[in-house]
Amino acid sequence: MAESSNRPVLVVDFGAQYAQLIARRVREAQVYSEVVPHTTPVAELLERDPAAIVLSGGPSSVYEPGAPQVDPKLFDMNVPVFGICYGFQAMAGALGGTVEHTGTREYGRTELGVQQAGGLLHEELPANHPVWMSHGDCVTKAPEGFTVTATSEGAPVAAFEDTERRFAGVQYHPEVGHSPHGQEVLRRFLHEIAGIRPQWTTSSIVDEQVALIRAQVGDGKAICGLSGGVDSAVAAALVQRAIGDRLTCVFVDHGLLRAGERAQVERDFVAATGVNLVTVDARERFLDALKGVTDPEQKRKIIGREFIRVFEQAERDLKAEGDYQFLVQGTLYPDVVESGGGSGAANIKSHHNVGGLPEDLQFTLVEPLRALFKDEVRRVGTELGLPETIVQRQPFPGPGLGIRIIGEVNQERLDILRKADAIAREELTSAGLDRQIWQCPVVLLADVRSVGVQGDGRTYGHPVVLRPVSSEDAMTADWTRLPYDVLERISTRITNEVSEVNRVVLDVTSKPPGTIEWE
């Protein structure tokens, strides 16, 4: 196991919009990272033997009553610390510097002026370059022992460092793309100031997880619910690498799949891995369970519950081959965070991989991807030899088309959505746009009727929504500006070829405030 994965960089979350993005950027510097809440006591942080600590930004002013503070004891523990935005100010205040509310604010693109040689963080970077700022307060005097290495119009101290104690910080946000040299600054802190070796690589992830899986499963046997998506496929491939033919994959056709997905799973994944695969046709069971249900959270929970019950039945059917005690799931880090399982985050959604499991679960969970972001999962899949058709497949939610139908789920509505979705995917692929978008959910507004004119008569058909989004990890996303001619072809084909649909609309909401899926 790599040293960097043994000793994590802890990102202390002060309520920042970008805390998860900071963690991703640390990993891009080949250093393992985790996010922890700002309420974590210093003693508990130290118990985890961190290689370094990063103090995130946050929405508060350091002068607000009850604003989160940094315990000064943190700086007496011989652990490298890097402050960002609010974390930079809290760090300066805790070490005896001066933070003031000067009335000058900086939001968005700001020109940074590098001072003298720029220190280790900014050495040989352009003397003036853009960064992304978001602050009302600012540091006006650095703590004793620190060198000021950058300023801006609204921040007399925009960066400082004390390399002897391995402390540094910046007022701006190095983690966002709007700070073009930000990743290099973060890398320099991690590698040069903190002295961390870059060992968090795809190979190290595979080796670490294989060892952990073997330790957890021992001589036991495992079942994996294979959906055909990237997450479950990579999770299954990792577990198979660890325990071989003691893994059996169960593919459940719940009737909520997109067109052609069952054949793709049974053909591509089995050909790539040679895994033991059992296909269960449970379409009627899921539709019966979803009958009359319109609440999205209830739909998710029902689908999650039925998945588990199907796995339990599959386990009983496989009893002759031995006792299956472990259930493999492709839970990712964003799933954990958005389900309220990480860093005190709000429960934005329940996910059948995390929040919808029944209390009487008969399996022990194996979640080899729980600490990974999607881009890391794709790289692991490539390392494991999975074909590009699986590794680069657009994300698809576990509950499938069941949460892309607004209203009750039934066979007729599934058929409508499946045809519309297939057309959208065909046109995006034909236009060469698959790599430019994160995913493009197609949503059926089943309980809405829209007046239209088709042929010589008025129609009352369903609208469908196109939701093309661009993202790095699904924590944040922006709507993808698809070419108008592609949108026109999709709309024309859907309204011509899917008779029940007479209107196609485009969702142009970013995340936040909207989620990627509608339900």
Side-chain angles (χ1 to χ4, degrees):
M1 190 181 298
E3 178 183 309
S4 56
S5 58
N6 274 327
R7 302 189 62 212
V9 168
L10 300 180
V11 178
V12 178
D13 183 4
F14 287 103
Q17 178 183 355
Y18 300 122
Q20 307 304 323
L21 183 55
I22 296 170
R24 283 195 72 252
R25 298 303 187 216
V26 172
R27 295 185 187 193
E28 286 175 11
Q30 297 185 323
V31 176
Y32 180 63
S33 63
E34 296 177 2
V35 178
V36 296
H38 67 84
T39 52
T40 308
V42 169
E44 190 173 323
L45 294 177
L46 295 176
E47 285 176 2
R48 302 178 67 171
D49 191 23
I53 290 175
V54 177
L55 307 176
S56 85
S60 303
S61 164
V62 292
Y63 293 111
E64 288 179 10
Q69 302 295 324
V70 176
D71 187 338
K73 288 187 294 186
L74 175 65
F75 304 102
D76 297 327
M77 303 300 176
N78 195 32
V79 176
V81 180
F82 186 68
I84 295 175
C85 195
Y86 181 89
F88 173 70
Q89 297 170 6
M91 178 181 184
L95 286 166
T98 303
V99 182
E100 296 185 72
H101 186 70
T102 63
T104 302
R105 300 181 177 184
E106 290 180 314
Y107 293 103
R109 180 188 170 96
T110 304
E111 198 74 9
L112 185 77
V114 176
Q115 300 298 296
Q116 301 171 13
L120 282 179
L121 292 183
H122 297 92
E123 183 181 10
E124 296 184 355
L125 295 183
N128 294 280
H129 61 265
V131 295
W132 194 257
M133 292 279 200
S134 182
H135 69 97
D137 303 330
C138 63
V139 179
T140 57
K141 181 183 176 183
E144 185 176 350
F146 281 78
T147 300
V148 178
T149 60
T151 65
S152 69
E153 184 176 347
V157 181
F160 58 37
E161 55 189 65
D162 179 345
T163 56
E164 185 175 336
R165 289 189 289 174
R166 298 186 296 170
F167 296 155
V170 295
Q171 179 61 69
Y172 59 90
H173 287 276
E175 71 275 16
V176 302
H178 300 292
S179 297
H181 300 287
Q183 181 64 19
E184 173 62 14
V185 169
L186 186 56
R187 186 200 67 77
R188 290 181 182 185
F189 167 75
L190 295 167
H191 298 173
E192 298 176 22
I193 294 180
I196 304 171
R197 287 186 292 163
Q199 294 181 316
W200 177 249
T201 64
T202 303
S203 295
S204 75
I205 294 171
V206 171
D207 292 343
E208 176 183 1
Q209 288 304 319
V210 166
L212 290 172
I213 293 164
R214 287 173 177 163
Q216 180 184 7
V217 176
D219 295 329
K221 304 184 78 170
I223 289 179
C224 177
L226 191 65
S227 69
V230 181
D231 307 339
S232 66
V234 175
L238 267 173
V239 174
Q240 189 192 38
R241 173 74 63 90
I243 67 172
D245 61 7
R246 287 184 286 121
L247 169 70
T248 296
C249 288
V250 177
F251 174 68
V252 178
D253 185 353
H254 52 21
L256 308 174
L257 301 168
R258 295 181 294 187
E261 288 187 311
R262 176 170 173 171
Q264 185 183 56
V265 170
E266 294 177 326
R267 181 187 65 241
D268 295 349
F269 186 74
V270 173
T273 63
V275 74
N276 297 326
L277 178 67
V278 174
T279 300
V280 179
D281 189 337
R283 289 174 290 183
E284 187 174 335
R285 173 178 183 152
F286 278 82
L287 283 177
D288 286 345
L290 291 166
K291 191 173 297 182
V293 179
T294 60
D295 178 75
E297 287 299 299
Q298 191 177 356
K299 283 196 282 188
R300 285 180 177 273
K301 285 179 166 51
I302 288 172
I303 294 168
R305 181 195 69 207
E306 293 303 314
F307 256 104
I308 296 302
R309 296 305 176 231
V310 169
F311 291 143
E312 290 174 344
Q313 182 60 52
E315 190 269 343
R316 287 191 289 270
D317 293 343
L318 292 167
K319 272 289 188 185
E321 300 177 19
D323 187 20
Y324 289 79
Q325 299 176 326
F326 297 91
L327 172 63
V328 180
Q329 291 216 112
T331 309
L332 303 191
Y333 199 38
D335 296 332
V336 176
V337 173
E338 293 197 354
S339 300
S343 306
N347 188 4
I348 299 171
K349 68 179 180 180
S350 69
H351 186 289
H352 88 267
N353 277 358
V354 180
L357 297 173
E359 294 181 2
D360 59 342
L361 180 66
Q362 300 299 307
F363 298 101
T364 299
L365 290 180
V366 178
E367 298 175 301
L369 311 180
R370 189 178 177 89
L372 302 184
F373 291 99
K374 179 72 78 171
D375 60 322
E376 294 171 323
V377 171
R378 293 191 195 279
R379 291 198 297 270
V380 168
T382 300
E383 177 80 11
L384 292 168
L386 295 181
E388 187 170 331
T389 53
I390 292 176
V391 173
Q392 296 301 330
R393 185 172 181 263
Q394 289 185 14
F396 188 57
L401 299 180
I403 58 166
R404 292 183 179 176
I405 293 174
I406 310 303
E408 181 184 1
V409 178
N410 59 40
Q411 190 61 57
E412 179 186 6
R413 292 174 172 182
L414 284 166
D415 291 341
I416 294 170
L417 179 54
R418 197 171 279 120
K419 287 185 285 187
D421 175 85
I423 290 169
R425 287 191 291 141
E426 286 172 12
E427 290 299 331
L428 291 172
T429 299
S430 178
L433 295 171
D434 286 341
R435 290 294 190 95
Q436 296 182 32
I437 62 174
W438 176 262
Q439 63 184 120
C440 184
V442 178
V443 181
L444 176 66
L445 305 184
D447 289 342
V448 176
R449 290 283 182 170
S450 170
V451 67
V453 178
Q454 291 172 298
D456 295 324
R458 290 164 65 86
T459 61
Y460 292 93
H462 297 290
V464 296
V465 181
L466 302 181
R467 174 67 164 140
V469 295
S470 300
S471 180
E472 290 185 330
D473 51 33
M475 299 300 296
T476 60
D478 193 14
W479 67 281
T480 307
R481 277 68 168 172
L482 294 178
Y484 288 151
D485 60 330
V486 175
L487 290 171
E488 181 183 20
R489 285 198 301 274
I490 293 173
S491 176
T492 300
R493 282 195 59 194
I494 289 176
T495 52
N496 284 347
E497 298 175 31
V498 187
S499 60
E500 299 88 347
V501 175
N502 65 359
R503 193 177 298 269
V504 178
V505 299
L506 179 66
D507 183 346
V508 296
T509 313
S510 62
K511 176 189 178 182
T515 54
I516 293 177
E517 299 289 346
W518 273 45
E519 290 198 341

